Amino acid sequence: MNTVAEHIADFLKKYPPFDNLTFEELSEIATNIRVVNLEKYKILFQIDDKLHDCFYVVASGVIHLSVIADAEETLLNKCHEGDIFGLRPFFAKNNYMMTAKAREESIIYAIPIATFRPFVANNPNVLDFLLESFATNTNNPNDKNIRGKLLSDNVVYSDQQSSDMQYFQSLTYNRIPLTTTADAIVMDVAKTMAENLSNSIIICNNNNIPIGIVTHTDMSTKIATGRYPITTTIDKIMSNPVVTVVENISLAEAQLVMLKNNVTHLIATIDGTNQSEVKGIISEHDLIVSQANNPGVLIKQIKRTQSAEDLKQLRNRLTDIIQNSIHKNIPLFHVYNIASEINLALIKRSIELAILDLGSPPARFSWLCIGSQGRKEQLLLTDQDSILVFEDVVPDKYREVKDYFLKLAKRSTANLEKIGYSLCPNGHMGSNTLWCKSLIDWTNQYNSWMNTPGKNSNDLSSIFFDYEMAFGESKIEEAIETVIYKNAKNNTLFFDFLGNDALRNNAPLSFFKKFIVEEEGPNKDKFDIKSRALLPLIDSARLFALSYGIKGVNNTYSRFKQLAIADPRNAEIYINCAEAFLTLSKFRTIEGLKNEDNGQYINLNELNKIDKERLKNALTPMRELEELIKDKFQLTQFS
């Protein structure tokens, strides 16, 4: 092996997923790798370019991955030494949907997919890592059409919008397949298959090691057509060698292996090779059945549900999806998107059921989720927050119309409570007469909050600026947005108030970089990750997004990403905050799932040393963010 290839193999061995491969395997890959030198700002590929025959690893330098969304360039990710990017040719057929550009002089290794693919099929850790990297670098709002392309033509695939999960779903398949030996007579085998209602049988040697497979198709194309007599031995018509996989394969891996080998069945064996014992058989039908837990299917079921009790069962399945995603290490941003769509469908159906009870609304209206669901950040079962805005009606109809909507909101929130979303302790719900009113009343409310924040701040909660429409008339939501952004323009007093609000929470770390924990009460010695870490980031992202007039982006992570474009001088701070937000959210979600609560308090004693460091590192960008707020908003009056 030449010294260049040896040097590349040594380099790759240090980084995942290559650390799962032997040095011999890496050496074989390295001899086929091309070395690409990129000058500063040189583009390697851009949106709509034809796919390359390779994927890439950064050997040195920095590569920026960006997309164009809503006429804005959004930075998705920075790839540093050892990072993988450009995985689209592995998983999709359509052109590139992002741009890869060198941020500084860089050296890139181009790894041919044809060379690398054989090492993926038998190594689920490698494939899991590639799938995760692909998902992480695909946070493109326009990039929904690639999901679902992995299925072969005769596998039905559901709803595209929430199909991220199919990459990571576990697979249910037949663990006790039919087996026979090579000398069995075809007629006897056909009888056995018919009696067991099976469309396949595995041919094994005496040690139960697979040597071939016969499917219903083999029977019809080779026996029914008369090419072979029914008295022949089964080995004459079997397909071999068989395609084998490991037992714990995911849905996506199975799809990839089936597509790659152009087969309809896979045989699961103890070690994933055809030299070990048979443990099961996977058919294309199993792929369809395994998609029952697909978010798209779940949303369809929600839409057909007739009671809050049935909705509760479906909400429990969302918890399973979230747990499975966290366990599979799916990027949290994707999990948020999936959970948000399902939560939204549950809220919408709860309102529809209430309307079916009460009869048609007397006026058009909009139900806005506020708070965490308004930001698409609700993974754990937290309390419900909402407002109801109905269109302006003539004065003598006002009381009657408002009464209807209060009843509607009460029934809807009661349905949501049955599903498991507790009522908001602060009463921030459309069922509260304060938060159920006409568009003109809401306009006056926002005018008052934003133009005289000191006077009217008692009932001002900043969550009223995070909203997402769950049901109703989008023009009403747009009218609310117009009022907010009109009032925000050059409104120093309002930003002074919000800026101080964002800084009101106590610091998460002491001067000596120790976690500041609760001193008394039931959560003594625990770390309040919600108040000390997440809320300051949420509040700051909202504050800056409003001040830069960034509309239609309510999610904290996305707000920081957009801010990096709006304010390039401070882009690094915003990107660090975006990553910190995801890390902290994951800590909270894991804690909440473990204790079946809202995950607010972290028991630091249960964290290992690495996790404690990760948690601490995620808190470091907050100091710079605090300085940025003080500098930009010149806080005075409410300090």
Side-chain angles (χ1 to χ4, degrees), residues 547-572:
S547 78
Y548 279 103
I550 295 170
K551 291 183 182 179
V553 181
N554 289 339
N555 175 270
T556 304
Y557 174 82
S558 305
R559 275 173 167 167
F560 278 127
K561 287 282 184 151
Q562 288 290 331
L563 286 164
I565 298 162
D567 179 15
R569 268 188 331 139
N570 297 301
E572 200 165 332

Side-chain angles (χ1 to χ4, degrees), residues 470-632:
F471 191 93
E473 189 68 45
S474 56
K475 284 199 164 45
I476 293 178
E477 182 201 18
E478 286 161 22
I480 293 285
E481 184 178 75
T482 305
V483 170
I484 289 172
Y485 282 91
K486 194 172 119 236
N487 278 318
K489 219 169 181 160
N490 305 322
N491 191 337
T492 338
L493 195 63
F494 173 62
F495 288 116
D496 192 347
F497 182 82
L498 273 198
N500 280 290
D501 200 43
L503 299 179
R504 76 186 182 285
N505 289 297
N506 300 326
L509 297 174
S510 70
F511 181 73
F512 297 106
K513 298 282 186 290
K514 291 256 191 303
F515 289 104
I516 296 177
V517 294
E518 298 301 290
E519 290 178 4
E520 52 193 32
N523 298 300
K524 189 176 186 306
D525 297 330
K526 289 184 181 174
F527 178 64
D528 182 351
I529 194 165
K530 179 185 173 185
S531 308
R532 289 182 185 273
L534 286 163
L535 276 180
L537 288 171
I538 291 165
D539 290 343
S540 306
R542 179 194 305 112
L543 167 70
F544 282 108
L546 282 167
S547 78
Y548 279 103
I550 295 170
K551 291 183 182 179
V553 181
N554 289 339
N555 175 270
T556 304
Y557 174 82
S558 305
R559 275 173 167 167
F560 278 127
K561 287 282 184 151
Q562 288 290 331
L563 286 164
I565 298 162
D567 179 15
R569 268 188 331 139
N570 297 301
E572 200 165 332
I573 296 176
Y574 298 126
I575 285 167
N576 291 341
C577 286
E579 296 308 321
F581 177 74
L582 290 188
T583 304
L584 293 164
S585 299
K586 191 166 180 180
F587 272 105
R588 182 183 179 183
T589 305
I590 291 168
E591 192 72 21
L593 290 171
K594 189 172 70 187
N595 302 316
E596 292 187 6
D597 61 14
N598 67 6
Q600 180 166 352
Y601 295 96
I602 305 282
N603 187 340
L604 297 171
N605 298 328
E606 289 175 6
L607 297 184
N608 60 34
K609 196 176 172 192
I610 293 169
D611 280 344
K612 267 188 193 160
E613 276 310 300
R614 279 182 61 237
L615 181 55
K616 202 171 275 188
N617 290 340
L619 300 170
T620 50
M622 289 167 67
R623 183 57 54 89
E624 284 182 300
L625 187 64
E626 196 178 305
E627 292 308 313
L628 197 59
I629 291 172
K630 287 176 181 167
D631 182 54
K632 178 167 170 60

Side-chain angles (χ1 to χ4, degrees), residues 34-39 42 44 60 102 105-109:
R34 298 193 305 275
V35 181
V36 182
N37 290 294
L38 291 181
E39 292 167 20
K42 183 89 186 335
L44 181 63
S60 67
E105 212 170 297
S106 304
I107 296 171
I108 308 298
Y109 293 148

